[in-house]
Amino acid sequence: MSMTQADVGLADYGALLRRRWRLVVGGVLVGLIAAGGAIALLPKTYTSTASVMVQTTGENGAVQGGRTSGDVNLDTEAQIVKSTAVAVLALGKLDEPIAEEARGLARHVTVSVPPNTSVLNITFEAGDPEDARDGAAAFADAYLENRSAVASRRVEAQVEGVNVQLKELRAQSTELDKKLVSADPGTPEALSVQSQRDQLNRQIAELGSQLAQLRASALVPGEVITEAQIPQSPASPNVPILLLSCVLSGFLIGFLLAVLLDRLDHRIRDRRDLSSLGLDPLVAGVRLSETARVVDSQTTEPMRQLRNALLVQLPKFNPAVLVAPASSGSAGPLVALHLADTMARSGLRVLLVSANSSRCLLSERFDTEGRPGLADILRGRARVREAIFPVPGSTNLLAIHSGSDGSLHSELLQGEQVSAVFAELATRADVMVIDVAPTSENADAQSLVSVASGVLIVAERLRATRSDLHEAIDQFQHVDARVLGAVVAEVDGVRSDARRSDQATKDEAADDL
């Protein structure tokens, strides 16, 4: 079953987190430290809330676009709570106000309106719990006092207006009474004056009734339905939210740094890096040892899978594979040695040829002193049968070293006799494995693609880079080489670019045998 693009993306991020976990953990720790510092240094703020139920006092508070369509517009009332007039009243109610001016005191107030209610939640914030409680209570009382005063002034204005109308109507009624006395009874003039006077009297009676209602009306601006309480804990900083936000921010910063460093790091790590370059990773990866003996080599499942993946692609008429490392190091020679040994363990007769002009692992591992190598064969100084030797510990594995004296060089591998020599070598075994120098150092692998059926590209983990792989791919594409696949190899133990001394090599070979 193939993975979807989303699965691959999640797997990539998971691998990135495993590689760069120190950055992510460091970011989280920095976030925790920042949260602790903020909790310790930020001033604590306490809030207390008083709830006021607003009642109508007779005026029509509906406005176009307002939240309510009833007699009271609560949006307007919320602004009145924070007005200077209410703040002045609240300032006078506080024994020790936290601000000297009304405007400064009003900045500590927030007002909210619960949906579908006639309630104002008046919240006051302060650095002390008691100040917060006193401030909320003072603004609630000041708001009701201001609302009651405004309503009283409105009623007084209405009473005064009614009295003025009554005075005018009564004066008119007195004038009509005088006209009625002087008019002849029963005449049209007397009837008209009588009708006007009756109408004025009705208006006077109506205004008198209205005046009585205004004087008798009880003004109830509202009431406090929830008293302000002393807060038990600060509203800010909010410790859980602060901790969570700082930890998430630290994680995000660490993760972004990990992604950035990962983008800047072009080293090859796993098979996904090979796939992104268009290569076919034959196995998840192999792990080899710099010092392990051939008889104890990594003939584990990954090496067996690599063997099977290669053998199925090799033709019967020329079963030869070129093992080409993309960068300097031990990965290429070790993969060639262990691959040949794994193939030999399956019953095949395998010939391992070291055509590596940079490093001959066979000369380092085994006693090849006095034995001719590939360089001697190419120069015509020795025959193939004289250079082939059985590898100790493996009955089916034969080998030819490149030449312990370093006589093998790139020009020698480009001679006319190369094809004939490798054709004869192919007759000596069922399968031939050819170890060549890294493509980043020279073009030996490119020169030898004609003597092999295909190429196995080896990328040493955390050593080979994407540019190394691009160079290797370009070299093989230019000569129409068949790339069988690629593998990421991790080498444990001693890792060095320089050659070890002859004495150290002999001592290690003696230990291996």
Side-chain angles (χ1 to χ4, degrees):
M1 181 180 296
S2 61
M3 293 189 299
T4 65
Q5 186 175 359
D7 295 332
V8 174
L10 291 176
D12 289 339
Y13 284 122
L16 186 147
L17 290 176
R18 287 193 296 271
R19 289 193 301 268
R20 306 288 184 180
W21 64 269
R22 291 180 180 84
L23 278 176
V24 178
V25 172
V28 172
L29 291 177
V30 170
L32 287 174
I33 294 173
I39 293 172
L41 298 178
L42 287 178
K44 293 179 174 58
T45 301
Y46 296 85
T47 60
S48 182
T49 301
S51 298
V52 176
M53 184 175 66
V54 183
Q55 297 179 0
T56 180
T57 56
E59 71 274 22
N60 185 6
V63 295
Q64 184 176 2
R67 179 181 298 185
T68 61
S69 59
D71 292 336
V72 181
N73 189 310
L74 293 183
D75 286 335
T76 303
E77 297 302 316
Q79 296 301 316
I80 292 175
V81 174
K82 301 178 65 175
S83 66
T84 303
V86 175
V88 169
L89 294 175
L91 187 64
K93 295 178 179 295
L94 295 172
D95 296 332
E96 297 180 357
I98 62 175
E100 296 180 357
E101 297 182 355
R103 291 184 178 180
L105 193 67
R107 294 191 185 100
H108 295 264
V109 178
T110 56
V111 184
S112 61
V113 181
N116 302 320
T117 67
S118 298
V119 176
L120 296 176
N121 288 330
I122 304 174
T123 302
F124 191 88
E125 64 176 22
D128 182 78
E130 293 185 358
D131 289 342
R133 186 270 315 271
D134 295 342
F139 267 88
D141 294 340
Y143 164 70
L144 292 177
E145 182 178 333
N146 177 77
R147 183 173 171 77
S148 178
V150 171
S152 297
R153 288 194 295 269
R154 178 185 55 79
V155 171
E156 291 175 0
Q158 290 178 351
V159 169
E160 183 178 355
V162 171
N163 284 328
V164 171
Q165 293 180 34
L166 283 174
K167 184 177 180 181
E168 293 177 354
L169 292 176
R170 285 170 181 165
Q172 294 176 14
S173 179
T174 302
E175 291 295 331
L176 291 175
D177 287 340
K178 292 179 180 179
K179 290 182 179 180
L180 187 61
V181 171
S182 61
D184 294 333
T187 63
E189 181 181 359
L191 293 175
S192 176
V193 172
Q194 180 67 38
S195 175
Q196 293 178 16
R197 190 186 68 173
D198 292 342
Q199 185 178 0
L200 284 176
N201 288 336
R202 287 195 297 270
Q203 292 180 1
I204 291 172
E206 290 176 358
L207 289 175
S209 176
Q210 182 179 352
L211 182 62
Q213 290 179 0
L214 288 173
R215 289 174 175 175
S217 62
L219 299 178
V220 182
E223 61 177 326
V224 177
I225 59 176
T226 302
E227 297 286 346
Q229 303 295 324
I230 296 178
Q232 301 300 316
S233 60
S236 65
N238 191 312
V239 176
I241 294 179
L242 185 61
L243 280 174
L244 181 61
S245 60
C246 287
V247 168
L248 290 178
S249 299
F251 173 83
L252 181 60
I253 292 173
F255 180 75
L256 291 178
L257 285 176
V259 172
L260 177 61
L261 290 179
D262 217 58
R263 291 285 184 264
L264 296 176
D265 187 0
H266 294 166
R267 294 178 298 175
I268 301 300
R269 297 180 185 84
D270 52 38
R271 65 187 304 174
R272 284 186 291 269
D273 294 331
L274 298 180
S275 298
S276 66
L277 295 171
L279 294 171
D280 181 17
L282 300 181
V283 292
V286 294
R287 188 167 185 172
L288 307 174
S289 174
E290 177 78 30
T291 58
R293 296 181 297 175
V294 176
V295 292
D296 294 328
S297 64
Q298 300 287 330
T299 52
T300 55
E301 194 60 28
M303 288 303 300
R304 295 191 185 100
Q305 292 178 10
L306 180 60
R307 174 199 63 195
N308 297 338
L310 290 173
L311 289 178
V312 75
Q313 299 184 71
L314 294 177
K316 295 183 179 179
F317 63 88
N318 184 25
V321 57
L322 195 68
V323 179
S327 64
S328 60
S330 305
L334 285 173
V335 168
L337 178 60
H338 290 266
L339 176 62
D341 183 57
T342 305
M343 289 180 173
R345 290 174 182 272
S346 66
L348 296 173
R349 187 173 177 83
V350 181
L351 175 61
L352 173 60
V353 180
S354 178
N356 195 328
S357 59
S358 297
R359 176 187 179 186
C360 182
L361 184 64
L362 293 176
S363 298
E364 298 174 4
R365 289 295 180 92
F366 309 106
D367 185 10
T368 59
E369 186 175 356
R371 184 182 298 276
L374 179 62
D376 300 305
I377 299 175
L378 294 175
R379 285 190 171 93
R381 299 175 182 175
R383 299 179 179 179
V384 170
R385 60 181 178 84
E386 296 174 346
I388 294 178
F389 66 93
V391 176
S394 182
T395 57
N396 294 320
L397 182 57
L398 304 175
I400 295 180
H401 69 97
S402 61
S404 58
D405 58 353
S407 57
L408 184 67
H409 49 83
S410 297
E411 288 75 11
L412 194 59
L413 293 174
Q414 298 174 10
E416 296 179 356
Q417 70 279 15
V418 172
S419 298
V421 170
F422 276 92
E424 182 179 354
L425 291 175
T427 63
R428 301 286 178 161
D430 299 326
V431 180
M432 183 166 57
V433 178
I434 306 172
D435 169 34
V436 294
T439 55
S440 60
E441 295 184 4
N442 54 50
D444 290 355
Q446 191 181 40
S447 302
L448 294 176
V449 293
S450 61
V451 303
S453 303
V455 181
L456 171 66
I457 298 178
V458 179
E460 185 168 349
R461 185 177 183 272
L462 299 180
R463 189 162 193 166
T465 63
R466 298 177 69 89
S467 61
D468 292 334
L469 270 297
H470 279 301
E471 182 178 352
I473 294 171
D474 289 342
Q475 286 189 26
F476 296 129
Q477 284 180 344
H478 291 158
V479 293
D480 294 329
R482 181 189 178 194
V483 178
L484 303 175
V487 63
V488 177
E490 182 175 5
V491 180
D492 296 334
V494 180
R495 301 174 65 177
S496 174
D497 292 333
R499 283 187 167 225
R500 289 168 290 182
S501 64
D502 292 341
Q503 185 61 42
T505 302
K506 293 178 181 179
D507 293 341
E508 184 181 75
D511 292 337
D512 290 343
L513 296 175

